[in-house]
Amino acid sequence: MWKAIKDRETGRIRSNSFANRFKSGRILSLQLSNRKDFVSPHRGSVNSLQVDLTEGRYLLSGAADGSAAVFDVQRATDYEASGLIAKHKCIFTVDKQHDNGHKFAISSAIWYPIDTGLFVTGSYDHYLKVWDTNTAQAVVDFKMPGKVYRTAMSSMAMSHTLIAAGTEDVQVRLCDIASGAFSHTLSGHRDGVMSVEWSTSSEWVLYTGGCDGAIRFWDIRRAGCFRVLDQSQTQLGIRPPILKRTAVSSKFYSAAKSSLGGQNRLKTLQSKHTGSQSVKGSSSAKASTEKSRQKRIHPGMLSTLDRATAHYGVVTGLKATNDGMYLLSAGSDSRIRLWDIESGRNTLVNFETGRIQTNKAIQLDTSDDPALVFVPCMKTVKTFGMWSGRTTLMLRGHYESVNTCCFNSSDQELYTSGADRQILVWSPGGSVEDEMVQDEVAEDKDNWSD
Amino acid sequence: MEGRDDGGGKVMGLIEKATKSTAQEVDPRLLKAIKSIVRYSDSEVRLSAQTLMELMRHNHSQVRYLTLFIIDELFMRSKLFRTLIIENLDQLLSLSVGFRSNLPLPSPPAVATMLRSKAIEFLEKWNLSFGFHYKELRLGFDYLKNTLKLKFPDLQANAARIQRERQEREMKTKEILRNKFDSLRDSFGLFKYEIEVTIKEIKECMEIVQWRGDDGVPLAILDEEDFEEIRCSHLRQIRLDSLKQSEKVEETSENRVVFDVLREQCKLLVTKHLISVQEGISLLIRVDVSDNRTRDSMLKDLIDIRNNILAAKKKWEEAGFTISMMTGTHENEETNEEEEDIWEEDDGKVGTDSVKNVAPVTRTQQSDNSSLLSSSEAKKSNKASNTKKVGSTGGSLRDKLISEAPVMNWGSQLSNWDSTTEVRANYRGLELESHWGRVDQDAVIPAEKIAELNLQATVYREERTETPPCRAPLKKGGLCQRRDLRVCPFHGPIVPRDDEGKPIIQESPLDESINQTSSTTGTNQDMPMDETTSDSDPNQLARQIAKQALKNIREKDKEVMRKRAKLVKVKVKEHNQEVLRDAAIASTSRSNVIDEEFDRVFAARKNKKQTFSSMRRKKTTAKDRISQRLLSNRVKSTNPQQLGQGNDEKCRETSANQW
């Protein structure tokens, strides 16, 4: 570590890469934090967690008892065991006792992406409420046609303040905070919508995953969905990360490919030198893309395409990577799929998941630099390499099934919550300060009396 | 490498062996062996952790139960073992507590419940000792406690509560001790003085008694000269004993007074002072005060006093005085005089020689017989004198107080007479746990309550008075033995009689008073004596006659006096009536006419009234008529009594209070 600092000072390493190296080291050593506790005020399973997007400091949680709470993740409210354990109590809660609190479970609680002055909660009581954080009062509420499963706001949006809400109903509604009305009703799913995710590259693009197993892409400027993901349309491997220096020439490309040691093999559909199997798939895929292109011109799609499914079962979770190129989806078939957004194909990365919760929406999260996916797998949280699908970490601490993962990239901390009402903090272990404090308290030692 | 493998095998073998038993606990020897091996190296710890976790999966509660014990042992000791176990804590908990519905605890159910309760207990213990270092432990504990609502023994809270209670109790005890200490300090001087006085008195008594016994000593020595002749060791022993016995003081009628004092004082010393001194010492040892100097000095004093008391006790015990004997005498005194003999015999039994003992017994018996009545009287007076003796040292005030003080029965309540200290109700001095539930160790009986409890009910006992016999002479000879209070149904009122039954004439109180006036106390005393001695004396007869005559004359005088008094009474009555009548006349209008001149002379200012009345004169109302008639009647009746009018003034003087 000291060597790296020296290198950075002498200019041998760029500060950016130094930071990345340091962060990745931390991320790979995540473990259950002994020094940070969230005192959960919730009496039911915690369904939703989000760290605010502006400061990365306030954690919003929504729970099945109809309560939502906000925590400060950086400043502890009090300490235990001579400062060893920092207790984070919630700054405030909004629960059933509140005048306009939710009657039933809150399924989703999200921050207003621009600042922390507002947050949005969606509940099983068919309401979607927008709250003022400072007064803890509901500002706007929307009556939805059914239970709200998931809500989402675009982190990119500059020109609209729309809340996408996936509900029991087949239609996805977009609620406009500014007007207090539904601005869009997106029809296409044949069953309730479990997961909603805005694109991280375009403020107009919305991804939704339904109980019918379909993942649909919507451009809110146009009518109808423009793409339905089909798990059978595949591509092997992923695109290489776009490096700035690659002014993409095929030569460089291949060089880069070989330099990556065949790890990131891109098998484009156009390359016809691969095995017969892939040829078959590619030809059919080619046809479908052409068709979809046609359909993009004409609103509405062919019924055959329209019936494509991304998962066998419910799509319980969607997560777009931060670079906006890939979409991760979790399904009740206990699979995680990584989709290439541009091509809309399944990349066939095999994530070694065990079982994934089937009847509830789950919340995945990703980290950037070591591209990792955090997936709640029943009672554990698993960390997969995004490109390899290998399990890097198994985080075990919850006593009941985990619902959400929320990665705080500024602190390299992971927050998870589950049906056991706990919000756990997973922080990088083995840091210097940690050991210093351990020495100070120094009780945890061998004690052989005989 | 080989050695380690060897050891590893041993650990596994030991653990398996330990968990195979059906006992309720792991064999301690095996456990110790496991511990000593595991301590050897980290690899052993890893291996044992692995083995134990595998054993926990065994589908039998007994195996799991014993395994859990071993895990607990190692968990409390090895850090590495802790980290290894905690990695799989949820698994361990589900296997031992069985909180997952799909993973119930295996049979047998009895052991399974034990396993569960033990696991919960261990988890709490672990959480208490290592929870700060392992978030997983805290989580597991919290989950079981708050989410699954399992009942934990709550060791910490219990311990804290017990600790707190103990502290409170100690505080209270300290407070009580301090209060006691304060009161002791305040009354220390008096206390010390009292004891000193008692000891001194005992010493003096002992001196007196021993001086009495001095005669015996040369006797003993004299006996000692014959000593050589007795060869037999047994006899010698008897001899020695007897010699010893002779040194001991004996109670005789002469030194009974001294003995009584001695007894009283000894008893006081042993039953009250010694105990209170010992209490004081223990109090001073236990009490925790800032003022250490006074405490130490007091402690020193108290120890000295105790030594003094013990020395005194030893002395009187050497002199053949025992507490039991003293108490025995005390009781005997009160109950029966006859039983004193028994006590004397008891005393005799102390020694082995019976021959020697007879002597004192007989001697005392003799003395008792000779003055049975007088001795009991003497005792009473002794007692009085005892108290007086004590009082004389204490001063006249005390004397006075003692004369006023009620007589109380001897009892334990006297030892804490008038004390204002509180008494701890559940204080036994022993740390005993009660079988009958929790006991409030700090319960205190307030002093008022103690006083109330010690309140002695005294039953009024009528003083038995001897009803004298009639003693009238009977025809068949002898005297009447009937005992009546005042009147014998056969012989009339009971009068004092002489031995032959003749009544001793008692003078009437009137005579006595006359005698007193004539200041002839001598004759007064003589008379009954004379009467008893000689009845047929002519002189006596003449004197009697003269007396009778005197009596008659006096009676006549009395009668005259009585008549005179009656007359005075009558006169008073008349006078009263007259005044009444005057008043009646004055109230009528007619009467004013009579008074007219009188009024004119005396009061000129009454003129107005007069004219008023003259104006009203002509009207004769019914009231006037009645009054007139009354007046005329009165005038008629008063006329013959005008003679006594002169006496009227005298009467008024004598009985001024009548009107």
Side-chain angles (χ1 to χ4, degrees), chain A residues 157 222 254 285 325 354 422 440:
Chain A
R222 300 167 62 117
S254 60
M325 289 170 71
Q422 300 284 347
E440 250 173 57

Side-chain angles (χ1 to χ4, degrees), chain A residues 4-68:
Chain A
I5 289 172
K6 193 187 165 198
D7 283 350
R8 182 184 64 89
E9 279 176 353
T10 52
R12 214 170 293 165
I13 309 175
R14 291 188 188 176
S15 59
N16 193 17
S17 66
F18 167 76
N20 282 343
R21 194 185 294 179
F22 194 65
K23 278 183 184 172
S24 65
R26 276 167 68 85
I27 291 169
L28 287 172
S29 67
L30 278 182
Q31 63 183 34
L32 188 60
S33 168
N34 187 35
R35 305 194 52 218
K36 202 175 200 178
D37 273 2
F38 284 121
V39 182
S40 169
H42 303 301
R43 297 170 169 283
S45 115
V46 182
N47 291 328
S48 170
L49 280 181
Q50 197 189 17
V51 177
D52 75 299
L53 306 172
T54 45
E55 282 177 274
R57 182 172 170 181
Y58 296 103
L59 181 73
L60 175 67
S61 66
D65 63 342
S67 62

Side-chain angles (χ1 to χ4, degrees), chain A residues 32-34 37 81 84-85 379 396-397 399-400 421-422 424 443-450, chain B residues 35 39 77-79 82 88-90 93 100 132-136 138-140 142-143 146-147:
Chain A
L32 188 60
S33 168
N34 187 35
D37 273 2
L84 184 68
I85 301 163
K379 286 162 208 156
R396 293 166 60 187
Y399 278 82
E400 276 170 38
R421 309 181 300 120
Q422 300 284 347
L424 298 188
E443 273 175 11
D444 191 18
K445 281 180 181 169
D446 275 7
N447 175 28
W448 295 99
S449 59
D450 47 356
Chain B
K35 276 193 279 185
R39 193 182 179 179
R77 282 171 174 73
S78 166
K79 181 178 176 177
R82 276 198 287 274
N88 292 316
L89 186 70
D90 55 336
L93 286 180
R100 300 227 190 273
F132 289 142
H133 302 284
Y134 301 100
K135 170 81 177 169
E136 290 88 344
R138 267 180 283 153
L139 272 178
D142 189 67
Y143 177 71
N146 296 331
T147 308

Side-chain angles (χ1 to χ4, degrees), chain B residues 455-466:
Chain B
L455 199 65
Q456 294 293 307
T458 49
V459 179
Y460 169 69
R461 215 174 281 152
E462 198 177 5
E463 239 178 295
R464 280 193 63 156
T465 48
E466 189 99 338

Side-chain angles (χ1 to χ4, degrees), chain A residues 86-97:
Chain A
K87 291 269 183 195
H88 295 256
K89 285 191 180 135
C90 60
I91 300 168
F92 69 90
T93 55
V94 176
D95 53 14
K96 277 180 193 170
Q97 274 74 48

Side-chain angles (χ1 to χ4, degrees), chain A residues 26-283:
Chain A
R26 276 167 68 85
I27 291 169
L28 287 172
S29 67
L30 278 182
Q31 63 183 34
L32 188 60
S33 168
N34 187 35
R35 305 194 52 218
K36 202 175 200 178
D37 273 2
F38 284 121
V39 182
S40 169
H42 303 301
R43 297 170 169 283
S45 115
V46 182
N47 291 328
S48 170
L49 280 181
Q50 197 189 17
V51 177
D52 75 299
L53 306 172
T54 45
E55 282 177 274
R57 182 172 170 181
Y58 296 103
L59 181 73
L60 175 67
S61 66
D65 63 342
S67 62
V70 175
F71 300 88
D72 188 341
V73 300
Q74 282 168 4
R75 237 185 62 202
T77 48
D78 55 354
Y79 291 90
E80 247 181 33
S82 62
L84 184 68
I85 301 163
K87 291 269 183 195
H88 295 256
K89 285 191 180 135
C90 60
I91 300 168
F92 69 90
T93 55
V94 176
D95 53 14
K96 277 180 193 170
Q97 274 74 48
H98 193 278
D99 289 338
N100 33 24
H102 284 291
K103 282 198 198 74
F104 303 136
I106 289 177
S107 54
S108 151
I110 53 166
W111 285 107
Y112 181 62
I114 314 300
D115 58 36
T116 52
L118 288 175
F119 65 91
V120 181
T121 56
S123 166
Y124 281 3
D125 64 0
H126 300 199
Y127 274 99
L128 191 149
K129 288 182 179 174
V130 182
W131 300 81
D132 185 339
T133 316
N134 296 311
T135 59
Q137 296 294 324
V139 189
V140 188
D141 59 349
F142 300 94
K143 172 87 165 101
M144 305 306 282
K147 290 179 189 170
V148 180
Y149 286 132
R150 184 64 56 183
T151 55
M153 288 191 82
S154 171
S155 57
M156 309 264 313
M158 305 299 288
S159 56
H160 67 83
T161 52
L162 293 177
I163 307 163
T167 63
E168 253 181 335
D169 192 46
V170 292
Q171 293 169 329
V172 177
R173 285 166 196 258
L174 301 186
C175 315
D176 191 357
I177 301 174
S179 68
F182 301 127
S183 63
H184 294 64
T185 305
L186 307 176
S187 325
H189 282 289
R190 293 185 175 79
D191 204 343
V193 179
M194 269 289 207
S195 49
V196 180
E197 179 83 7
W198 286 92
S199 164
T200 45
S201 54
S202 163
E203 62 173 308
W204 314 113
V205 178
L206 177 71
Y207 315 129
T208 59
C211 294
D212 52 358
I215 297 171
R216 286 170 189 269
F217 289 16
W218 314 84
D219 187 333
I220 61 167
R221 293 165 299 187
R222 300 167 62 117
C225 77
F226 68 88
R227 181 169 289 167
V228 180
L229 292 183
D230 188 348
Q231 56 187 321
S232 60
Q233 290 194 5
T234 58
Q235 70 184 36
L236 276 172
I238 56 164
R239 291 167 200 274
I242 301 159
L243 303 171
K244 278 161 195 153
R245 53 192 164 123
T246 53
V248 189
S249 77
S250 62
K251 252 191 188 174
F252 270 116
Y253 204 113
S254 60
K257 195 166 64 176
S258 60
S259 73
L260 284 165
Q263 280 241 325
N264 299 334
R265 288 166 298 145
L266 174 68
K267 297 231 166 177
T268 54
L269 300 169
Q270 281 73 23
S271 62
K272 308 220 170 180
H273 311 293
T274 48
S276 59
Q277 196 185 359
S278 74
V279 172
K280 243 185 185 173
S282 65
S283 60

